[in-house]
Amino acid sequence: MADQTAVSDREQKILGIIETARGKRAKFRDKQINMSHGAGGKATQSLIEGLLVSAFGGETLTEMGDAGAVIVDGVELAMTTDSYVVKPLRFPGGSIGELAVNGTCNDLAVSGARPVALTLSLILEEGLDAEILRQEVEAIARTALEAGVEIVGGDTKVVERGYCDGMYICTTGVGQRDARARLSPSSLRPGDRILLSGSVGEHGTAIMLARNLFDLDASIESDTCSLWPAVDALFEAVGPDLRCLRDATRGGVASVLNELARSSSVAMLVREGAVPVDPAVAGASEILGIDPMYVANEGKFVAFVAPEAAERALEVLRQVDGCEDAAEIGEVRTAPPGMVLVETSFGGRRVMDQLVGDPLPRIC
Amino acid sequence: MKYVDEYRDADLGQALAGEILSLVEPGRHYKFMEVCGGHTHSIYKYGVDDLLPANVELVHGPGCPVCVIPMGRVDDGIALAHEEGVIFTCFGDMMRVPGSDGSLLEAKAAGADIRMVYSPLDALRIAKQNPDREVVFFAIGFETTAPSTALTLKRARAEGVPNFSVMCSHVTIVPPLRALLESPDLRLDGFVGPGHVATVVGARPFEFIPADYGKPIVVAGFEPLDILHAITMILRQLGDGRCEVENQYARVVPYEGNQRALEVMAEVFELRPHFEWRGLGFISHSGLKLSQAYADLDAEVRFSVPGVRVADPKACQCGEVLKGVIKPWECKVFGTACTPERPIGTCMVSSEGACAAYYNYGRFAREREVV
């Protein structure tokens, strides 16, 4: 058994090498952009951290929140921007116009800012049916009214047929920092509770089915909606006890948890059985071999709350329209730092890792 | 979900875990190989490992159809995809597998028309929609997926679709298992048999494992209870001194297999003299190509495929890892030259491969052992 010790030393050393490699900021080394750079996983991270943040790297950007803080004459504002390239333009439960308003407003809301104003850029493809455009403009106007934001400026560009897919939209949002809470992605502490504002995976699944790639029929609708009412309710009830909020869009809840575990150097434990999933989404995910925790949402957020305030937060959240299924899904732990662990419903444990590429169905 | 949740019941899982604990001999270390990547996936997804005593170890086998495709084969596919007028179609999992100079995903970014499909029939449909283009389907997988490729080829023939062809990289399960079993340093006590493959070939082809090599094998389903149940069955065989093929997955697997699927395969495919496996090298009669009757639909006949041969780096020890001779970290290139971002061998390619799993979760697994 003397052999055993030697092996262990070697193993220790190798694990050390891996740990060091992991801890390093992601580098951007790829020769070309491929689809995985847009999927929200490791490749996206290498693009953002390795190329963008390192090039522009101000203090605000390095925090990598959903929106950046801007202070003008003592007034705290939040700014964010997002582009929308969804295919198809219309899908069950929503359309690109609704997404373009809600998505940007939600980035402001989960950064602790009440959305105030948006600018709107439209990139239109030659040949786009004017009726489709008109419908989307109406959808944008309606959604902005509902979200309480004003469209204060914009731009239009038209490109030749084939150079864009119908229409792309970019919106930039400004919000006013809400004094009731101080949110930060590096503020998580062991013991904090992880709350989820509702069931996961609906938006991504609805889009996937709307593309008609599979002979699957299910009544699954995108969950796109404004998150401000829910955030507002939380701020009012437990503001000082809120650590951080994140909307679980591209890459799903799993990606949000991984990002925050890394930025706060904590571990997380998620109880799989506690995660609300609509039965239709669960069924579709099962057939397609996808984990709903990695599927995009457009109207759900993850909240990290001090343990003593978790119960109250959940109670308040469940009274908000669309958050009836809100649940406590786990807690923040100390070790192993940077990792998200899952207690499976079956009684085992596993690591919920960062996404490597798109969540593609398995072939067997 | 009805008919699914029943096989994921946590209480029954605990009961089986208790049974396994009562069946193991204290002081004896058991190594069982789950042959199929689907099992590896379930074990990982449900945390089945956690319910096993420390002296029962599961070794991930060579049954991930994506990871076993050698670099040269990926390079060939990429070369074909770059041919003028070709639409190259493949399963999504295949897109990220690295060749010697990038993956299909990167080739797509570089301008090749590569499309992800969910079934070979989708590829055939693309061919019918694009009559002025040549559509090639990159067929991979064990006997599980081979029948659907075969049926697609039959349909292409029946419908006379002239612009459709298949680059056949189908493999068979028995030869790599025999190759593993032939090695004198094998350290395995039994096998969890591949349930999906067995739905096609049946359980009978695995009889050589107990007969020639004296190891028990239990063909198993893919739900967590199936896997635990199969492990109890292997342990019982070992305890009773029996050694045979048992079928835990009888609700799906007929002992004699699916005759119609086998007939279609026999008509459309023939065995290659040898086929290269990533990490395992050349194995005789382990790969399928299109039969003479279907040669006109064979992309390797229709196009000039370079036939790239990229040797696995000498230092790669995937074979030893698969045989359970060494642990991932004992491989010379593990964690240095071979990482999940730049994998060399089969065990690092898929996130379910033994080395990739260890790379990502090794620290956690060790802590689990201490707890």
Side-chain angles (χ1 to χ4, degrees), chain A residues 334-357:
Chain A
T334 316
M339 281 207 152
V340 182
L341 309 181
V342 181
E343 235 171 57
T344 71
S345 308
F346 188 63
R349 282 180 301 171
R350 71 180 146 90
V351 175
M352 182 182 279
D353 202 8
Q354 262 179 306
L355 204 58
V356 176

Side-chain angles (χ1 to χ4, degrees), chain B residues 13-28:
Chain B
Q14 290 299 336
L16 279 172
E19 200 175 326
I20 289 171
L21 195 60
S22 72
L23 287 169
V24 296
E25 281 173 41
R28 176 169 175 189

Side-chain angles (χ1 to χ4, degrees), chain A residues 7 11-12 14-15 19 22 31-34 214 286 339 344-346 348-351 360-363, chain B residues 8 10 44-47 50 91-93 101 109-110 116 118 224 329 334 352 358 360-361 364 366 368:
Chain A
V7 169
E11 185 185 5
Q12 262 324 338
I14 300 267
L15 283 169
E19 205 98 317
R22 261 177 190 283
K31 279 181 260 168
Q32 263 177 328
I33 292 300
N34 63 52
F214 322 100
E286 183 74 31
M339 281 207 152
T344 71
S345 308
F346 188 63
R349 282 180 301 171
R350 71 180 146 90
V351 175
L360 303 171
R362 304 180 46 73
I363 59 159
Chain B
R8 297 174 187 174
Y44 166 65
K45 181 175 172 192
Y46 298 99
D50 255 1
F91 293 134
D93 306 39
D101 185 27
M116 199 175 83
Y118 299 91
W329 75 84
F334 177 83
E352 287 148 20
Y358 189 84
N360 288 323
Y361 317 125
F364 167 59
R366 284 167 55 82
R368 187 160 70 187

Side-chain angles (χ1 to χ4, degrees), chain A residues 39 122 199 221 276 317:
Chain A
L122 296 171
S199 52
E221 295 201 338
L317 204 49

